[in-house]
Amino acid sequence: MRKLTPLALAFCLSSAFAAERGEVRIAAAADVPALCDQAIAKLNAEVAAIEKLPLSQANVANVLAPWSKSSGDLVEFWWGGGLIANVHPDEKLRQAEESCDLKISSETNRILQSSALYARFKAVKPADAIDAETLKAVLAEFEDKGVNLPPAKRKQAAGLFKRLDKLQQDFARNVRENKQKLAFSAEQLKGVSAEVLAGFKRDDKGNYLVGFDYPEYIPVMETAESGETRRQMQYAYQRRGGAKNLAILHEVVQIRKQLAALMGYPSYAAWATRNNMVGKPEVVLDFLAKVKDQVTEVEKRELAELLADKIAFTGDTKAKLERWDQMFYERRLQKAKFQVDQDAVRAQFPSAPTVEWMMAVTSRLYDVEFRANAKLPVWHEDVKGYDVFDKASGQYLSSFYMDLYPRDGKYKHAAAFTVRQASTLAGTTPVSALVTNFNRKGFDQDELETLYHEFGHIMHGVLSRTRYALNAGTNTKRDFVEAPSQMFEEWARNPASLALWNEVCPSCQPIDMKLVEKMNAARQFGQGTKYARQWLYAAYDMALAGPIPQEPLTLWQKMEAATPLGYVKGTEFPGAFGHIVGGYAAGYYGYMWSEVLALDMRSAFKGNVMDPAVGMRFRKTVLENGSQIPEMDLVRQFLGREPNSDAFFREITGQNGAGGKQ
């Protein structure tokens, strides 16, 4: 899955960041428990000092500012721990970080149920609109944890939150640590390129061993001519979470319903959406109904084309299009209808030059400079560190890491992890980490857009200039956080940004603009199936969070069976749907909701995506402000008008034309 936002997991760093450059010392596994206890003790001491304040002294300087500083300090220790738990090659360190994560999460849940602390925040009078917006969000956090409940119910809620934290961690680990490989003969993998085959390990019988990392799974699904091979691969992939994760998801759904009832809401969806942009689940359901209405016929037309190609390829006039056929025949149609060969795309965009080009585009757009920093300690030899500077002033702004390639025990998707948050008040500069599983040889079309998407998240984090760490970077409403990153996908395919390629790598093969035109035309095919699938994920998520809890696999079987390609008997997709167990519960709709704003904001560039004046306006208005100004107000300020959904509905029906330009 692509488009995963930063989750509040953790990166147990031994002392935070040295100086101002984001330099870290990664703790040894044996040191983590003591460091964890020290971080908790420090937090409790700082909280106790605020709790003891007379209410008459509860003001911004004595309550809000120190709270933000304490939260920011904890993030340096805690959120990065989730990064290390997801990327470090040392399994013992990953496990130590997970244990620390649970301890800190439990302690923060307890703190957020403190009536004394809550009373101090309630007594604070904001000095301006930013203080008011920040206080509003802080009070909502306390209320989310049940601070206003009677003592017995408050204790019950604490227990449920603690259990949820453990279940979410177990669910993610079960997917991340899955090392299953399927064995296939050379004949079974006919159609897969020799280059891809050369990257597979082999068993003692000479069979190729194929796992679930994207550089292994996707080439097989896209190019293996054997439908049976693709069926086996898709079947195993959809079961990679196992029975353990299905049981976890079932319990998670029940706990969420209990929490919602404790808080006085009819469903988890009603409780979870109340602080989002949508405000209530009815708005989400209405939006999803409009999406389904728009994409249904487009999906049917596209699937009919895929079926026609399957009949032509197999010679079977009675052939039926199966779910494991979709990627294979989409790729064939890309070649036949649009003359796009993804191997040619990968050759056009080799890994290192493509990353350099993407950073050059970003540098030009936002007037920043990226400098590689080999002194930044890393957790694996593949990881690279960078510092960010403002071009005009030469001022150091932030740092980030890139961890681009797959390995055992590493997070399996693509995400931007927050490690440290910005605060102009505390003088802290942000640090983020880009974690992906790309092919080392180069980028195909989807990977190219994913690279830009995730780097959009990184820029949202490291260009943040918020007063309080609480509002920094991607700390926005769940249904807005994807907007800046989705907007940035256009730069992966636009002629204006591609024009910088030869400047960045004069020794590279020049960009074949005819290939780019074909890529952009091909991108329009598949929009119906893509957004129909997004609708299904979002609708399933909302149904799970509805008033009547349902058994997750049974519900999925029913909902997927109602789609044109149906349900594949025995598959268990919910057991690997990490988004809705993690931060996107009753929030998966946010991807498409954010995209409405993303595509509308993109229109501000008026056909010139490399316009530095508009790029700087976006940096100053949206990226630097995080959530210290209401997100919709930021969009209005940037656009100079009320936003609308016209561009989004053109996009999901494939009507935006080549390149998706507005």
Side-chain angles (χ1 to χ4, degrees):
M1 300 283 296
R2 72 179 191 174
K3 304 181 179 176
L4 185 65
T5 61
L7 302 178
L9 292 174
F11 177 45
C12 237
L13 304 178
S14 60
S15 69
F17 291 76
E20 62 173 13
R21 284 292 193 270
E23 298 173 9
V24 306
R25 295 199 305 272
I26 301 171
D31 296 331
V32 170
L35 293 168
C36 194
D37 290 343
Q38 290 171 21
I40 290 172
K42 178 176 180 290
L43 176 67
N44 282 331
E46 292 166 346
V47 166
I50 299 174
E51 287 177 323
K52 293 175 183 176
L53 274 175
L55 286 176
S56 60
Q57 296 179 24
N59 54 39
V60 169
N62 292 336
V63 176
L64 184 57
W67 174 258
S68 181
K69 176 67 166 60
S70 296
S71 298
D73 290 346
L74 187 64
V75 162
E76 291 187 26
F77 185 84
W78 182 25
W79 284 24
L83 171 64
I84 288 300
N86 276 278
V87 299
H88 204 281
D90 183 349
E91 184 176 5
K92 290 184 178 179
L93 180 53
R94 296 199 303 268
Q95 292 172 348
E97 297 291 5
E98 286 189 341
S99 296
C100 177
D101 176 68
L102 290 178
K103 290 176 71 173
I104 295 180
S105 181
S106 178
E107 197 64 20
T108 55
N109 287 340
R110 182 193 65 77
I111 288 169
L112 288 169
Q113 287 192 341
S114 166
S115 298
L117 194 59
Y118 180 67
R120 270 68 189 166
F121 279 103
K122 291 279 283 186
V124 172
K125 303 298 182 186
D128 60 15
I130 289 178
D131 286 350
E133 188 67 17
T134 307
L135 280 166
K136 177 182 175 183
V138 171
L139 291 171
E141 272 197 285
F142 279 89
E143 291 153 11
D144 279 350
K145 296 302 181 183
V147 70
N148 289 322
L149 294 175
K153 289 187 175 182
R154 196 184 311 167
K155 183 177 180 180
Q156 184 182 354
L160 293 174
F161 282 121
K162 183 176 182 178
R163 179 60 179 163
L164 267 182
D165 289 338
K166 180 66 166 64
L167 292 172
Q168 289 167 353
Q169 194 179 86
D170 290 346
F171 189 100
R173 187 193 318 108
N174 289 339
V175 175
R176 185 181 69 242
E177 304 285 350
N178 187 318
K179 298 179 182 179
Q180 181 183 1
K181 302 272 187 179
L182 276 66
F184 296 107
S185 67
E187 179 62 24
Q188 289 173 312
L189 293 176
K190 181 182 177 182
V192 179
S193 73
E195 184 178 340
V196 171
L197 291 176
F200 293 149
K201 294 180 180 178
R202 305 180 79 161
D203 64 16
D204 54 6
K205 297 179 181 179
N207 292 317
Y208 293 97
L209 300 176
V210 186
F212 300 140
D213 287 339
Y214 288 163
E216 297 181 36
Y217 174 74
I218 291 177
V220 171
M221 295 303 295
E222 288 185 338
T223 62
E225 294 181 7
S226 168
E228 176 58 20
T229 296
R230 299 193 307 273
R231 185 198 69 79
Q232 290 181 33
M233 199 71 210
Q234 194 257 358
Y235 181 84
Y237 185 78
Q238 295 290 340
R239 292 171 59 88
R240 67 195 188 282
K244 289 181 180 179
N245 272 9
L246 289 176
I248 287 172
L249 180 56
H250 179 80
E251 185 177 352
V252 164
V253 170
Q254 300 300 319
I255 289 175
R256 286 172 175 163
K257 173 61 178 175
Q258 292 177 57
L259 277 171
L262 272 176
M263 305 295 180
Y265 289 84
S267 68
Y268 184 79
W271 180 68
T273 59
R274 75 195 192 285
N275 291 323
N276 286 350
M277 297 180 80
V278 293
K280 55 185 179 180
E282 289 80 8
V283 175
V284 178
L285 298 177
D286 180 64
F287 172 65
L288 293 179
K290 290 176 182 176
V291 170
K292 185 171 177 58
D293 180 64
Q294 291 288 320
V295 301
T296 296
E297 290 305 314
V298 182
E299 179 190 26
K300 288 180 180 178
R301 289 198 303 269
E302 291 172 352
L303 293 177
E305 286 193 60
L306 297 181
L307 175 57
D309 191 56
K310 180 176 181 178
I311 291 171
F313 180 73
T314 63
D316 181 1
T317 58
K318 296 182 180 179
K320 176 188 174 186
L321 191 70
E322 304 288 358
R323 194 163 292 283
W324 54 85
D325 290 330
Q326 184 176 341
M327 293 172 70
F328 178 75
Y329 289 103
E330 277 186 355
R331 177 154 178 165
R332 275 179 50 84
L333 274 178
Q334 283 181 336
K335 285 186 177 181
K337 189 173 181 179
F338 304 103
Q339 292 78 53
V340 174
D341 183 342
Q342 292 300 330
D343 288 335
V345 175
R346 199 179 298 284
Q348 175 74 87
F349 294 100
S351 293
T354 299
V355 172
E356 290 298 316
W357 163 64
M358 186 255 318
M359 289 198 286
V361 167
T362 311
S363 172
R364 187 80 56 90
L365 188 66
Y366 298 139
D367 200 36
V368 293
E369 180 184 354
F370 302 117
R371 300 178 194 169
N373 186 344
K375 294 182 179 180
L376 290 178
V378 297
W379 49 91
H380 188 271
E381 61 185 11
D382 282 343
V383 182
K384 297 184 184 303
Y386 296 86
D387 293 332
V388 186
F389 295 83
D390 179 72
K391 272 188 185 177
S393 66
Q395 179 187 4
Y396 168 81
L397 298 176
S398 52
S399 298
F400 64 89
Y401 294 88
M402 283 191 173
D403 186 353
L404 300 182
Y405 308 116
R407 59 180 174 270
D408 286 345
K410 181 186 171 184
Y411 178 79
K412 297 302 181 186
H413 304 297
F417 287 78
T418 297
V419 178
R420 183 169 70 182
Q421 299 170 311
S423 171
T424 57
L425 186 66
T428 56
T429 51
V431 179
S432 294
L434 175 59
V435 179
T436 59
N437 289 272
F438 292 133
N439 189 308
R440 290 177 183 271
K441 298 291 185 181
F443 294 84
D444 69 11
Q445 190 169 354
D446 285 343
E447 291 167 339
L448 198 58
E449 291 193 3
T450 299
L451 174 68
Y452 269 84
H453 175 99
E454 298 301 341
F455 203 62
H457 281 310
I458 294 293
M459 290 300 100
H460 201 181
V462 301
L463 295 183
S464 178
R465 299 285 290 168
T466 51
R467 180 184 301 168
Y468 300 110
L470 301 164
N471 306 119
T474 53
N475 278 353
T476 66
K477 295 186 187 303
R478 178 62 68 185
D479 44 8
F480 178 78
V481 73
E482 298 294 338
S485 52
Q486 287 173 323
M487 188 190 85
F488 205 39
E489 292 173 19
E490 170 72 18
W491 279 255
R493 55 181 180 256
N494 194 282
S497 51
L498 286 161
L500 293 184
W501 178 268
N502 292 339
E503 288 184 32
V504 173
C505 190
S507 64
C508 291
Q509 176 185 345
I511 293 293
D512 180 353
M513 293 311 299
K514 289 185 178 179
L515 173 62
V516 172
E517 289 174 10
K518 293 172 183 177
M519 289 165 58
N520 286 333
R523 193 182 70 84
Q524 298 304 307
F525 182 84
Q527 295 293 76
T529 52
K530 169 187 171 182
Y531 285 99
R533 195 69 176 171
Q534 287 295 300
W535 172 87
L536 176 62
Y537 292 155
Y540 174 70
D541 172 37
M542 292 301 291
L544 270 188
I548 303 174
Q550 301 183 57
E551 200 286 314
L553 183 58
T554 302
L555 175 64
W556 175 256
Q557 290 170 341
K558 177 182 176 182
M559 293 184 71
E560 191 175 39
T563 66
L565 291 182
Y567 166 71
V568 178
K569 186 176 180 180
T571 56
E572 300 171 345
F573 169 76
F577 196 2
H579 281 54
I580 61 171
V581 176
Y584 278 87
Y588 195 88
Y589 74 89
Y591 277 116
M592 289 190 289
W593 186 270
S594 294
E595 194 168 5
V596 171
L597 300 174
L599 296 180
D600 201 20
M601 288 192 295
R602 189 187 299 165
S603 69
F605 287 86
K606 301 186 185 301
N608 180 12
V609 299
M610 292 309 299
D611 186 333
V614 183
M616 181 57 77
R617 190 169 89 241
F618 185 74
R619 172 185 160 184
K620 293 294 184 181
T621 304
V622 178
L623 299 181
E624 290 192 357
N625 276 304
S627 59
Q628 67 182 5
I629 296 172
E631 292 85 345
M632 192 60 82
D633 288 350
L634 294 178
V635 175
R636 292 188 186 102
Q637 288 176 28
F638 176 64
L639 290 174
R641 60 168 171 79
E642 287 294 320
N644 64 64
S645 59
D646 295 349
F648 172 76
F649 283 106
R650 287 198 304 271
E651 175 77 8
I652 70 174
T653 54
Q655 297 175 25
N656 264 339
K661 291 177 283 187
Q662 277 106 89

